[in-house]
């Protein structure tokens, strides 16, 4: 015997269309992950290139330092043989010493820049890895609940633009079951952002739901909050 309430209309869901939407979402998500991996690989290649260039510059500096050392020694010997050129030789030694100091300072600056770049890349790589792990973990927790929402509560998720999702709700008002209510989410940064909302909800309501989402990363609860907010605003 059916337990459905006689006051609730029954709907025939287009599961093929839903499956195609989910496949398209999966393909877009895979492309997003692939692009992220590509960016990491490009960052690593660029870092290795900078390291190689820095090492080459350091070697050139070292060769120049040795060259100036040899010149300095030659001038010292020359000053011993030719006393009349002592002043000129001392001036040359001072000049070469300044160049040596400048090259040493430049080498130290390059080494410091290399270390700073490496630290920055390591930090970015770690942040991306953590964000990816959190997203995958949360996705596995949300999957069963999302299936329930899509099949029974009139919800669908569409790829809207690069790093953006459009979350569409129906079955909000009994007098207009097919009317669509939606929000557009920006996922490009670690903290989510609501770009559009139709119909528009109060700013305080949106800010509260977004704050809870960014703190808890509970996307299932966020979907419930948005649906309830739309339902309350329609009454």
């Amino acid at each position: 015997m059916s337990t459905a309430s006689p006051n609730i209309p029954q709907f025939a869901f287009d599961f093929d269309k839903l499956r195609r939407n989910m496949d398209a979402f999966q393909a877009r998500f895979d492309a997003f992950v692939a692009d992220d991996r590509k960016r990491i690989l490009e960052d690593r290649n660029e870092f290795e290139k900078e390291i190689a260039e820095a090492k080459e510059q350091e070697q050139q500096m070292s060769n120049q330092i040795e060259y100036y050392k040899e010149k300095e020694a030659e001038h010292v010997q020359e000053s011993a043989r030719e006393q009349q050129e002592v002043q000129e030789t001392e001036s040359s030694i001072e000049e070469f010493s300044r160049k040596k100091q400048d090259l040493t300072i430049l080498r130290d600056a390059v080494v410091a820049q290399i270390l700073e770049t490496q630290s920055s890349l390591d930090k970015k790589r770690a942040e991306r890895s953590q964000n990816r792990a959190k997203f995958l973990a949360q996705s596995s927790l949300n999957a069963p609940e999302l299936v329930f929402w899509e099949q029974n509560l009139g919800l669908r998720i569409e790829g809207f633009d690069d790093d953006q999702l459009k979350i569409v709700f129906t079955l909000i008002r009994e007098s207009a079951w097919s009317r669509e209510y939606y929000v557009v989410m920006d996922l490009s940064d670690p903290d989510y952002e609501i770009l559009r909302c139709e119909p528009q909800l109060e700013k305080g309501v949106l800010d509260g739901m977004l704050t809870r989402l960014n703190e808890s990363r509970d996307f299932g609860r966020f979907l419930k909050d948005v649906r309830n907010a739309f339902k309350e605003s329609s009454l």
Side-chain angles (χ1 to χ4, degrees):
M1 178 179 296
S2 173
T3 59
S5 174
N7 294 327
I8 298 178
Q10 301 299 312
F11 295 90
F13 289 90
D14 189 350
F15 290 100
D16 292 335
K17 181 178 179 181
L18 177 60
R19 187 178 298 107
R20 289 194 300 270
N21 289 341
M22 291 302 294
D23 291 341
F25 173 78
Q26 183 64 45
R28 193 173 187 84
F29 178 77
D30 292 341
F32 170 75
V33 173
D35 289 342
D36 193 49
R37 290 177 177 171
K38 181 180 178 181
R39 286 194 295 269
I40 292 175
L41 180 60
E42 290 174 350
D43 289 346
R44 183 182 66 185
N45 292 338
E46 183 65 24
F47 171 71
E48 292 176 351
K49 179 181 177 182
E50 291 176 358
I51 289 293
E53 291 176 351
K55 287 183 178 179
E56 182 179 357
Q57 291 180 0
E58 183 178 4
Q59 183 61 42
Q60 292 176 354
M61 293 177 196
S62 178
N63 293 338
Q64 290 183 5
I65 290 173
E66 292 300 321
Y67 169 78
Y68 289 129
K69 284 183 178 180
E70 294 174 1
K71 282 292 185 181
E72 181 180 348
E74 292 175 1
H75 283 290
V76 170
Q77 294 174 0
E78 183 179 358
S79 67
R81 293 192 302 266
E82 301 177 8
Q83 292 298 325
Q84 67 276 18
E85 298 180 2
V86 170
Q87 185 62 42
E88 180 181 353
T89 302
E90 290 178 350
S91 177
S92 298
I93 292 174
E94 290 176 359
E95 178 66 20
F96 286 124
S97 296
R98 284 195 297 270
K99 289 182 178 181
K100 175 184 176 181
Q101 183 179 7
D102 292 340
L103 289 171
T104 301
I105 293 174
L106 179 59
R107 183 194 62 187
D108 293 340
V110 171
V111 172
Q113 184 177 5
I114 291 173
L115 294 176
E116 181 180 357
T117 302
Q118 182 177 4
S119 176
S120 177
L121 288 175
D122 290 342
K123 182 178 179 180
K124 290 181 180 178
R125 189 178 294 110
E127 289 176 352
R128 289 178 179 175
S129 179
Q130 291 176 0
N131 290 336
R132 187 182 300 108
K134 289 179 180 178
F135 185 81
L136 292 176
Q138 188 61 46
S139 296
S140 64
L141 295 175
N142 291 339
E145 190 167 1
L146 284 175
V147 170
F148 171 81
W149 278 66
E150 292 171 358
Q151 293 180 349
N152 299 280
L153 299 180
L155 174 146
R156 70 177 186 274
I157 300 176
E158 303 173 351
F160 188 73
D161 202 345
D162 291 342
D163 300 330
Q164 295 179 12
L165 290 181
K166 181 179 181 182
I167 304 173
V168 183
F169 298 88
T170 57
L171 307 182
I172 298 294
R173 295 182 59 184
E174 185 175 355
S175 60
W177 287 115
S178 61
R179 179 182 176 181
E180 293 187 350
Y181 298 69
Y182 69 87
V183 292
V184 177
M185 305 291 298
D186 184 357
L187 310 180
S188 59
D189 293 327
D191 285 344
Y192 300 132
E193 182 180 355
I194 297 177
L195 301 179
R196 293 179 58 186
C197 178
E198 181 63 35
Q200 184 66 37
L201 296 174
E202 294 183 5
K203 185 177 185 301
V205 174
L206 288 175
D207 291 344
M209 293 188 297
L210 195 59
T211 298
R212 288 192 294 273
L213 173 61
N214 287 324
E215 290 176 351
S216 67
R217 297 299 182 183
D218 189 345
F219 212 82
R221 177 186 175 186
F222 173 73
L223 294 177
K224 293 179 181 178
D225 290 344
V226 175
R227 183 178 180 85
N228 289 334
F230 279 140
K231 193 165 186 177
E232 290 176 2
S233 71
S234 69
L235 297 178

